[in-house]
């Protein structure tokens, strides 16, 4: 199996806080990788560095054998990495459908001239974002809510919409940050099923999650972060029984 | 006296009626605008009509920038000036078809927008506002000081009338229809751009720039494009002004002119195409109805902005975002 | 000799800018009140003193002393209209309210005091010649007064409860609330203090150049803002350094290129700083949105 993403001693320090410290991981193509760890372990910060939203303090990120460490978030999206946010970032005053349409930005080409003269490019693009947009909304179970403004959706629906929008980018690697936070058991199950299905269709997934049930069910491999360091990694069974992991969690008093 | 709830009740009902009959209402407004110069032969009214249409063009330009990307362009008068002076300088030296003159005026304004936009593309809010205030003043200072090109404070008189084949656009009525045509073309084009990938990108950076980045949208690029597109129409508005008044001078393009247009956008409601039209209509025609207002015009504009932000932040006809932004923050 | 004189002029001008910028920095950097109406408030306050002196016939110093509390009141009014309701709301709303108020106040000033330029008297006449260089008393007066005020402000922010409270609240709002600082009152006080400092700087400026016009507001605002951004928005010492730098650069540029483009200097500095070092010389990194 080929490696899709590799980090080499990635560090991110904030004024002395080592949020991410020399993290080296390898992600095989086609798997679902779980990242767990107590609050403040540096999981979200790692996502931010991977997606170029934060500049790394040190280290390297390799995607499909290409060094993407210095790329802008936009370029990283362009080459097929897409993400959702732990603290949901929707376009609040636009409808669910509009939200997803914007997700197709990199997959469409319409410029001023196309828009003004309704050229073929414009027509193709609009057809694409409309049809595929609806399809994506259907996939995440928001078909009936396409006209509702982002801010008026329920918490769970917001998370679903974020996933739909992230899929519009047509990614090969999808990073989801606590996608089931605040959801009930039933809602959580739909998200798990969705991610599983996406993975079957060939999308590599990295998921940050606190719900151990989700992690154990879904992941092929797990990385455990604590205080910015990788303290354990392996298949779910191994990680679950690793004393270092127990200590980190119990020591911090988290889940 | 009405009670507060009664008023909002009435407004609510009115809104319902307006929303249901949106197209009909637009059509009625358009038809009234078209027949206006026919039913009146009072030259002064028609003259005010021309000015109103010109401000509608300008307010619609500024609205694209302020209302769709929240770039608070304070030095707007600078771009209006660039358009007007480009037209004045070209037409007083060469004989060029006015359609080209218009396009060149718009394009030159856009080029200046590019020069301003690149260094300011990362700036938001008040930083952008002050940077563009400085820019607007510099344009005025350059106009005053570069007198070999602009005749300095004397201004440039004698701008010829636009001519199409043998037809000369000359009377107030001619200019009235000419302005109406420009406005309609502008609105048509803006409508199409806004409802496309480009317009959605603009909205995304106003809504949530982090999320926009994650969608692969190049923020700086779309901000600068937005600035260039909006100022293109400001340049066109400037060209119209120069042709209409046949004289340009630096006195016209003071900051106040920008503030005036800013007030029109805010009062009418930014972020919709119709808001600034209503705002400029209201703020140009009302002061004419009550002539004593003329002296107090900007005072009233300032108060109008304050009242709007306090009581109806989305403007009289504006998009709901502002009102919602407030509600959300309060939650 | 010529250049030394330009530098002295620059230092004088710089003292004035420093004073105004401290007022601005207090409002914008410390209290995080976005303001676009600062220049207009300054011009209004200065005009009040002009009116009391030239129209009502008061002694100049008395006119100044009465105009300052009136400026204080203006500060309270602006806080009431532009900020109070919007403290916890998106900050661009404050930008819009102060733009609205600025438009109003500028036109209001023009309506009452006229649109033209008025001549404003020197606080002190006369000059001395030191080593062949002419220094006017007003220059000495301005520089000394500024230094004295800066010293006083330093004491205020370090030693008084109110001053310490304002700094505390700018560092950590929640902590300040916890230790019982009255946030609303401190903000009102700090804002008015900022306005009065600005107005006083404005008075010295028009007294130095002998002219005041109601339309000067926006450019004064731009300059105060530039100085503050240059020095680092959150840093009061930065505002002082920025003030002197702008004053000296403006005077050198006038000496080199003539006075036509003097106002451009501030803009060029502003753009350069924002592009090259958005946190300014001494400031903390802040969010440009
Ligand atoms: N923008 C930031 N500035 C300063 N510190 C930060 C920032 N983002 C995260 N941190 C710090 O980095 C550490 C890791 O945070 P985070 O990555 O959010 O943890 P997790 O997602 O694992 O809960 C925390 O101590 C947090 O306070
Ligand atoms: Mg996190």
């Amino acid at each position: 199996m080929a490696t899709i993403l590799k980090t080499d001693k990635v560090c991110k320090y904030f004024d002395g806080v080592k949020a991410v410290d020399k993290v080296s991981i390898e992600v095989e193509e086609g798997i679902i990788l779980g990242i767990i760890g107590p609050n403040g372990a540096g999981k979200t910060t790692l996502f931010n560095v991977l997606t170029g939203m934060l500049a790394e303090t040190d280290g390297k990120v390799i995607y499909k054998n290409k060094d993407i460490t210095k790329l802008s978030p936009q370029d990283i999206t362009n080459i097929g990495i897409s993400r959702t946010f732990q603290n949901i970032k929707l376009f609040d005053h636009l409808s669910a459908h509009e939200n997803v349409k914007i997700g197709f930005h990199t997959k469409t080409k319409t410029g001023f001239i196309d828009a003004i003269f309704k050229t073929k490019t414009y027509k193709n693009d609009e057809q694409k974002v409309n049809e595929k947009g609806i399809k994506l909304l259907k996939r995440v179970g928001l078909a009936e809510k396409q006209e509702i403004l982002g801010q008026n959706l329920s918490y769970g629906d917001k998370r679903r919409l974020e996933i739909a929008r992230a899929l519009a980018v047509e990614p090969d690697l999808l990073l989801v940050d606590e996608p089931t936070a605040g959801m009930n058991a039933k809602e959580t199950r739909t998200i798990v099923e969705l991610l599983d299905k996406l993975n079957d269709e060939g999308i590599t997934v990295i998921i940050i999650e606190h719900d151990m049930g989700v992690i154990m069910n879904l992941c092929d491999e797990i990385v455990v972060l604590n205080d910015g360091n990788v303290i354990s990694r392996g298949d779910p069974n191994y990680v679950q029984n690793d004393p270092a992991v127990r200590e980190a969690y119990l020591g911090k008093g988290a889940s | 006296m009405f009670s507060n709830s009664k008023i909002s009740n009435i407004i609510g009902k009115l809104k319902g009626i307006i929303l249901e009959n949106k197209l009909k209402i637009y059509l009625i407004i358009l038809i009234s605008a078209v027949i206006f110069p026919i039913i009146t032969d009072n030259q002064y009214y028609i003259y005010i009509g021309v000015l109103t249409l010109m401000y509608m063009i300008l307010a619609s330009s500024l609205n694209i920038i302020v209302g769709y990307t929240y770039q608070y362009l304070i030095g707007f008068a600078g771009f209006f000036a660039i358009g007007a002076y480009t037209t004045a300088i070209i037409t007083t030296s060469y004989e060029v078809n006015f359609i080209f003159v218009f396009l060149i005026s718009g394009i030159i304004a856009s080029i200046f927008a590019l020069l301003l936009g690149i260094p300011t593309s990362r700036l938001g809010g008040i930083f952008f506002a002050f940077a563009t205030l400085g820019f607007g003043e510099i344009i005025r200072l350059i106009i005053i000081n570069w007198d070999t090109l602009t005749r300095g404070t004397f201004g440039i008189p004698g701008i010829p009338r636009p001519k199409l084949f043998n037809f000369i656009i000359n009377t107030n009525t001619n200019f009235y229809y000419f302005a109406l045509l420009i406005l309609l073309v502008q609105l048509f084009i803006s409508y199409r751009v806004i409802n496309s990938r480009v317009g959605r990108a603009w909205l995304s950076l106003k809504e949530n720039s982090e999320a926009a980045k994650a969608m692969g949208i190049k923020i700086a690029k779309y901000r600068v494009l937005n600035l260039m597109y909006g100022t293109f129409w400001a340049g066109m508005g400037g060209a119209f002004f120069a042709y209409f008044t046949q004289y340009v001078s630096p006195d016209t393009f003071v900051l106040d002119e920008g503030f005036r247009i800013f007030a029109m956008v805010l009062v009418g409601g930014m972020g919709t195409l119709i808001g600034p039209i209503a705002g400029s209509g209201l703020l140009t025609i009302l002061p004419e109805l009550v002539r004593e207002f003329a002296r107090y015009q900007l005072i009233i504009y300032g108060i109008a902005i304050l009242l709007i932000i306090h009581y109806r932040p989305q403007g009289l006809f504006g998009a709901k975002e502002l009102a919602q932004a407030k509600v959300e923050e309060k939650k | 000799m010529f250049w030394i004189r330009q530098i002295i002029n620059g230092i004088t001008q710089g003292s004035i800018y420093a004073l105004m910028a401290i007022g601005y920095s207090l409002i914008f950097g410390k209290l995080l009140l976005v303001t676009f109406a600062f220049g207009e408030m300054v011009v209004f306050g200065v005009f009040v003193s002009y009116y009391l002196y030239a129209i009502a016939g008061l002694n100049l110093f008395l006119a100044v002393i009465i105009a300052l509390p009136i400026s204080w009141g203006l500060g309270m009014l602006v806080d009431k209209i532009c900020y109070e309701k919007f403290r916890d709301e998106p900050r661009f709303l404050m930008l819009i309210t102060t733009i609205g108020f600025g438009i109003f106040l500028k036109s209001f000033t023009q309506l009452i005091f006229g649109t033209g330029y008025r001549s404003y008297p020197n606080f002190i006449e006369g000059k001395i010649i030191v080593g062949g260089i002419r220094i006017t008393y007003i220059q000495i007066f301005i520089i000394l007064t500024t230094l004295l005020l800066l010293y006083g402000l330093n004491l205020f922010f370090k030693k008084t409860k109110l001053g310490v409270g304002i700094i505390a609240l700018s560092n950590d709002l929640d902590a300040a609330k916890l230790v019982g600082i009255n946030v609303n009152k401190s903000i009102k006080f700090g804002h008015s203090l900022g306005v009065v400092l600005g107005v006083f700087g404005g008075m010295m400026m028009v007294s130095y150049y002998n002219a005041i016009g109601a339309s000067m507001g926006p450019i004064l605002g731009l300059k105060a803002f530039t100085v503050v951004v240059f020095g680092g928005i959150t840093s009061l010492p930065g505002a002082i350094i920025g003030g002197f730098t702008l004053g000296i650069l403006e005077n050198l540029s006038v000496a080199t290129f003539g006075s036509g483009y003097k106002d451009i200097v501030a803009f060029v500095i502003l753009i350069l700083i924002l592009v090259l070092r958005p946190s300014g010389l001494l400031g903390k990194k802040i969010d440009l949105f």
Side-chain angles (χ1 to χ4, degrees):
Chain A
M1 270 275 186
T3 302
I4 187 165
L5 182 84
K6 201 174 118 186
T7 68
D8 183 16
K9 296 196 193 102
V10 165
C11 305
K12 178 68 201 179
Y13 303 159
F14 297 107
D15 296 326
V17 176
K18 296 185 172 180
V20 171
D21 196 19
K22 301 202 189 86
V23 167
S24 302
I25 53 174
E26 257 179 64
V27 186
E28 267 176 39
E29 205 170 334
I31 69 161
I32 299 185
L33 174 76
I35 297 184
I36 62 172
N39 273 327
K43 305 178 298 289
T44 299
T45 304
L46 181 62
F47 268 18
N48 285 336
V49 172
L50 293 181
T51 52
M53 298 250 161
L54 286 175
E56 77 296 335
T57 308
D58 199 7
K60 254 193 221 163
V61 183
I62 313 284
Y63 174 74
K64 292 185 176 171
N65 297 322
K66 195 175 160 238
D67 187 345
I68 62 163
T69 320
K70 300 290 173 203
L71 291 192
S72 68
Q74 289 92 337
D75 289 336
I76 289 175
T77 304
N78 245 327
I79 58 172
I81 302 180
S82 181
R83 72 173 292 182
T84 67
F85 296 91
Q86 180 181 352
N87 49 344
I88 305 168
K89 291 184 199 283
L90 287 176
F91 305 119
D92 276 336
H93 308 103
L94 304 180
S95 71
H97 193 192
E98 294 283 339
N99 266 274
V100 179
K101 281 189 192 177
I102 291 174
F104 285 103
H105 185 84
T106 56
K107 296 294 166 196
T108 44
K109 289 194 199 63
T110 300
F112 276 101
I113 302 296
D114 300 308
I116 295 169
F117 296 105
K118 293 208 169 169
T119 61
K120 214 166 170 182
T121 309
Y122 169 87
K123 284 181 185 150
N124 288 342
D125 281 353
E126 286 304 299
Q127 196 186 358
K128 176 171 174 175
V129 301
N130 280 316
E131 286 174 6
K132 285 197 172 178
I134 298 286
K135 243 186 227 161
L136 280 176
L137 287 175
K138 265 191 196 137
R139 278 207 83 161
V140 300
L142 288 176
E144 267 79 63
K145 301 182 177 160
Q146 50 172 294
E147 291 309 324
I148 297 181
L149 298 190
Q151 62 173 4
N152 295 337
L153 290 170
S154 73
Y155 193 74
D157 285 346
K158 283 184 182 176
R159 291 219 175 272
R160 268 189 273 274
L161 180 55
E162 262 214 334
I163 295 179
R165 194 181 61 181
L167 290 175
V169 170
E170 298 173 12
D172 294 330
L173 176 61
L174 178 66
L175 314 182
V176 284
D177 197 344
E178 303 197 15
T180 70
M183 288 185 178
N184 62 31
K186 197 174 145 221
E187 285 180 312
T188 300
R189 205 161 52 238
T190 61
I191 295 288
V192 170
E193 279 164 13
L194 175 67
L195 291 174
D196 209 17
K197 190 116 186 293
L198 291 171
N199 184 243
D200 285 345
E201 287 165 22
I203 299 178
T204 309
V205 178
I206 304 181
I207 174 172
I208 295 175
E209 184 55 64
H210 281 304
D211 185 330
M212 281 305 159
V214 171
I215 288 285
M216 294 302 153
N217 247 321
L218 204 54
C219 300
D220 302 301
E221 200 185 328
I222 295 172
V223 167
V224 187
L225 283 184
N226 188 27
D227 285 337
N229 297 301
V230 177
I231 57 165
S232 177
R233 56 181 302 175
D235 61 43
N237 250 329
Y238 171 80
V239 167
Q240 203 168 19
N241 297 315
D242 187 344
V245 177
R246 284 162 183 270
E247 192 188 322
Y249 271 90
L250 295 176
K252 287 254 175 173
S255 66
Chain B
M1 283 309 281
F2 289 110
S3 72
N4 230 346
S5 70
K6 247 185 187 162
I7 292 180
S8 51
N9 219 333
I10 293 171
I11 290 180
K13 269 188 194 152
L14 267 179
K15 231 175 164 178
I17 296 173
I18 291 174
L19 280 179
E20 272 168 34
N21 301 294
K22 218 165 157 184
L23 269 182
K24 274 185 214 156
I25 291 173
Y26 288 168
L27 206 65
I28 293 171
I29 294 174
L30 181 62
I31 291 172
S32 328
V34 171
I35 60 173
F36 172 71
I38 302 171
I39 54 175
T40 177
D41 44 16
N42 184 327
Q43 280 302 308
Y44 182 71
Y45 288 170
I46 300 176
Y47 171 80
I48 295 300
V50 179
L51 284 190
T52 306
L53 287 168
M54 186 186 82
Y55 276 117
M56 287 178 177
I57 294 170
L58 293 170
S60 299
S61 330
L62 182 60
N63 173 49
I64 292 285
I65 299 164
V66 174
Y68 285 87
T69 55
Y70 284 170
Q71 301 190 81
Y72 293 95
L73 177 59
I74 295 297
F76 185 72
F79 293 99
F80 182 35
I82 291 167
Y85 268 88
T86 305
T87 296
I89 291 166
I90 294 177
T91 55
T92 50
S93 313
Y94 311 95
E95 212 167 285
V96 186
N97 182 303
F98 75 94
I99 295 174
F100 286 114
V101 177
F102 265 89
L103 290 176
I104 294 168
S105 300
I107 288 168
I108 301 261
S110 287
I111 291 173
F112 274 88
L114 179 66
L115 296 179
L116 174 68
I118 288 173
T120 58
S121 67
R122 288 184 311 129
L123 308 179
I126 194 167
F127 295 88
F128 185 83
F130 267 115
T132 61
L133 183 156
F135 175 82
E137 279 302 276
I138 285 194
I139 294 299
R140 208 170 59 87
L141 288 176
I142 290 175
I143 289 171
I144 291 173
N145 287 296
W146 191 357
D147 44 15
T148 49
L149 183 72
T150 63
R151 295 175 34 97
T153 49
F154 296 115
I156 303 178
I159 297 161
R161 291 301 194 193
K163 205 167 73 177
L164 191 61
F165 305 114
N166 285 328
F167 182 72
I168 298 177
I169 298 175
N170 201 358
T171 64
N172 281 334
T173 307
N174 292 161
F175 272 101
Y176 180 92
Y177 285 116
F178 187 29
L180 187 60
L181 182 70
I182 297 175
L183 178 64
L184 290 176
V185 171
Q186 178 189 12
L187 289 179
F188 175 77
I189 292 180
S190 293
Y191 180 82
R192 286 201 161 176
V193 171
I194 283 161
N195 289 291
S196 77
R197 173 174 174 267
V198 178
R200 285 194 291 267
W202 288 344
L203 283 175
S204 78
L205 30 134
K206 155 172 136 177
E207 285 283 323
N208 193 324
S209 57
E210 289 274 291
K213 273 188 214 166
M215 297 300 109
I217 293 166
K218 300 224 159 37
I219 308 233
K221 174 181 158 187
Y222 278 93
R223 282 185 56 147
V224 174
L225 275 180
N226 174 274
L227 199 60
M228 290 177 73
Y229 176 76
T231 53
F232 172 81
W233 291 105
M236 298 277 278
F240 180 85
F241 175 84
Y243 272 124
F244 181 54
T245 59
Q246 298 188 283
Y247 169 68
V248 294
S249 89
D251 295 341
T252 309
F253 307 103
V254 289
L255 281 170
D256 280 350
E257 195 61 18
F259 285 137
R260 204 186 298 274
I261 296 160
F262 199 85
M264 293 170 184
V265 173
L266 278 174
V267 170
M270 57 181 179
T272 58
L273 289 179
I274 199 71
I277 302 283
S280 32
L282 208 66
L283 290 187
T284 329
I285 295 169
L286 269 191
E288 290 299 330
L289 294 181
V290 191
R291 289 313 300 272
E292 296 90 80
F293 273 7
R295 269 181 84 202
Y296 308 104
Q297 208 188 52
L298 273 168
I299 295 188
I300 291 168
Y301 284 14
I303 294 174
I305 291 178
L306 289 169
L307 286 176
I308 282 286
I309 293 298
H310 273 266
Y311 300 109
R312 204 179 154 74
Q314 76 272 36
L316 293 180
F317 297 86
K320 294 206 190 67
E321 296 109 76
L322 276 177
Q324 282 164 343
K326 291 183 65 172
V327 174
E328 234 167 67
E329 295 271 327
K330 282 213 175 103
K331 265 188 225 160
Chain C
M1 219 50 113
F2 174 75
W3 293 107
I4 294 177
R5 217 173 67 221
Q6 291 307 322
I7 297 225
I8 291 175
N9 291 346
I11 291 174
T12 314
Q13 180 68 58
S15 309
I16 294 166
Y17 286 153
L19 211 51
M20 281 197 220
I22 287 200
Y24 196 99
S25 174
L26 186 59
I27 295 172
F28 181 51
K30 292 289 178 207
L31 303 175
L32 297 182
L33 300 173
V34 174
T35 179
F36 208 81
F38 186 76
E40 285 80 352
M41 292 192 277
V42 167
V43 168
F44 181 84
V46 174
F47 254 115
V48 170
S49 72
Y50 170 81
Y51 183 87
L52 292 172
Y53 164 80
I55 314 285
L58 293 187
N59 167 295
L60 182 57
F61 280 91
L62 197 59
V64 166
I65 285 172
I66 297 176
L68 291 179
I70 294 179
S71 308
W72 186 280
L74 176 65
M76 299 296 256
L77 181 71
V78 168
D79 182 75
K80 187 96 207 151
I81 295 178
C82 298
Y83 298 130
E84 200 169 37
K85 195 173 152 192
F86 304 97
R87 295 226 203 283
D88 301 322
E89 287 179 17
R91 284 213 280 160
F92 72 89
L93 286 172
M94 289 182 181
L95 176 61
I96 299 178
T97 54
T98 54
I99 288 174
F101 193 86
I103 295 174
F104 162 78
L105 188 58
K106 176 160 164 262
S107 318
F108 185 69
T109 311
Q110 283 174 336
L111 189 74
I112 305 183
F113 301 112
T115 48
Y117 278 76
R118 303 302 172 84
S119 76
Y120 199 93
N122 270 153
F123 286 141
I124 313 175
E125 302 283 352
K127 58 172 183 271
I128 50 168
I129 310 234
V130 183
I133 299 158
R134 190 191 52 171
I135 306 176
T136 57
Y137 285 149
I138 180 104
Q139 288 183 318
I140 297 172
F141 172 80
I142 287 173
I143 295 171
L144 286 182
T145 314
T146 300
L147 291 178
L148 210 66
L149 268 172
L150 293 183
Y151 180 71
L153 278 172
N154 189 32
L155 286 184
F156 170 74
F157 285 121
K158 290 217 167 105
K159 299 270 145 92
T160 68
K161 202 174 151 215
L162 213 51
V164 171
I166 289 173
I167 299 296
L169 141 168
S170 78
N171 286 337
D172 188 340
L173 190 62
D174 295 327
K177 275 182 193 158
L178 273 183
V179 298
I181 290 169
N182 184 333
V183 173
N184 203 37
K185 201 176 119 200
S186 304
I187 291 182
K188 278 190 186 325
F189 186 93
H191 180 257
S192 286
L193 180 61
V195 173
V196 167
L197 286 173
V199 169
F200 192 66
M203 287 168 175
M204 298 210 290
M205 173 151 134
V206 297
S207 170
Y208 181 49
Y209 289 113
N210 300 123
I212 170 145
S215 58
M216 284 162 58
I219 287 295
L220 274 187
L222 170 65
K223 287 185 181 173
F225 181 78
T226 302
V227 167
V228 169
V229 171
F230 180 84
I233 288 151
T234 50
S235 161
L236 295 182
I240 299 168
I241 296 173
F244 284 111
T245 312
L246 178 64
I248 291 169
L249 284 180
E250 269 190 357
N251 273 278
L252 293 182
S253 86
V254 170
T256 318
F257 306 110
S259 64
Y261 290 98
K262 177 179 166 201
D263 288 342
I264 289 184
V265 178
F267 171 76
V268 174
I269 294 178
L270 180 63
I271 292 287
L272 285 179
I273 284 290
L274 287 176
V275 172
L276 300 178
R277 194 180 156 81
S279 57
L281 280 187
L282 303 179
K284 280 184 278 191
K285 217 172 173 180
I286 67 142
D287 193 357
L288 292 187
F289 287 79

